[in-house]
Amino acid sequence: MATNTYVALKQTTVDIATPSVTFDLAGISGYTDLVIVMNMQGVAASGTGANTAYIRFNGDSSSSFYSRTILAGQTTATSSRESSQNRISLGNQYESATLSTIFGSMILNIQSYANTNTFKTVLNRYSSNADRVGTVVGLWRNTDPITSITISSDSTNGIAVGSSFSLYGIRAEGVSPAAKATGG
């Protein structure tokens, strides 16, 4: 039976408000998929509420290469679709002026990030706090391997101090000889 293993690759915590966080994947290989665990908050002085988190690959800001479908729940369930975008919208997190102690939690799976034969798909699960949860399925219509990942916020003042981002690789271990012999 094959064994998949999460391997911690990189971690960063924002110590000064920043427009974005970028993971450079140079030197990272041997993984089938990537996972990013985020606890994120946007900076805002206005107290207007939620911000949106975004992801972009390889610095590509082409306006026709990204799309997403979202299923979300707050007081009612909603769904929406966006296509021909210049980044993938991952869902909401709160502004520091609104709820200074609450960070939006996100777990983002990026499938086959190094494969040169397929478009890149992402699955994000998020929760802003007790009143907002959702799932996003995104697509980057490009067969290039992902070499960098940039996460940003639509908050005019960027990502808040204390936001944390952890990058993991999923290493697909080989099938054991006993499993091969039994067809497992």
Side-chain angles (χ1 to χ4, degrees):
M1 169 175 11
T3 303
N4 293 328
T5 305
Y6 277 68
V7 178
L9 301 175
K10 297 184 178 194
Q11 196 277 333
T12 188
T13 300
V14 174
D15 57 3
I16 185 167
T18 183
S20 62
V21 170
T22 299
F23 286 112
D24 180 359
L25 303 182
I28 294 175
S29 63
Y31 303 96
T32 58
D33 305 323
L34 299 174
V35 175
I36 301 174
V37 177
M38 302 176 273
N39 290 297
M40 183 175 166
Q41 186 180 71
V43 177
S46 66
T48 58
N51 280 290
T52 301
Y54 296 93
I55 193 165
R56 185 176 278 154
F57 302 116
N58 299 356
D60 182 3
S61 60
S62 302
S63 63
S64 61
F65 285 100
Y66 297 94
S67 61
R68 73 137 185 184
T69 301
I70 183 171
L71 300 171
Q74 193 167 2
T75 55
T76 60
T78 61
S79 66
S80 65
R81 170 112 173 98
E82 297 174 342
S83 59
S84 298
Q85 301 295 304
N86 65 357
R87 57 194 175 176
I88 297 172
S89 173
L90 296 175
N92 293 334
Q93 83 278 344
Y94 275 91
E95 294 179 344
S96 56
T98 305
L99 296 165
S100 62
T101 60
I102 297 177
F103 288 71
S105 298
M106 298 187 181
I107 300 174
L108 176 70
N109 294 80
I110 304 169
Q111 285 85 27
S112 302
Y113 78 99
N115 188 320
T116 59
N117 296 314
T118 62
F119 292 157
K120 307 309 177 283
T121 57
V122 299
L123 174 64
N124 186 50
R125 292 149 297 166
Y126 71 92
S127 172
S128 297
N129 67 12
D131 76 345
R132 184 174 305 184
V133 297
T135 298
V136 172
V137 177
L139 179 68
W140 181 43
R141 288 185 297 279
N142 195 316
T143 58
D144 290 345
I146 296 173
T147 58
S148 70
I149 300 167
T150 301
I151 300 158
S152 61
S153 170
D154 67 355
S155 169
T156 55
N157 297 312
I159 299 170
V161 170
S163 297
S164 64
F165 304 83
S166 299
L167 175 68
Y168 299 88
I170 299 178
R171 184 181 305 276
E173 300 293 331
V175 177
S176 72
K180 284 182 186 177
T182 61

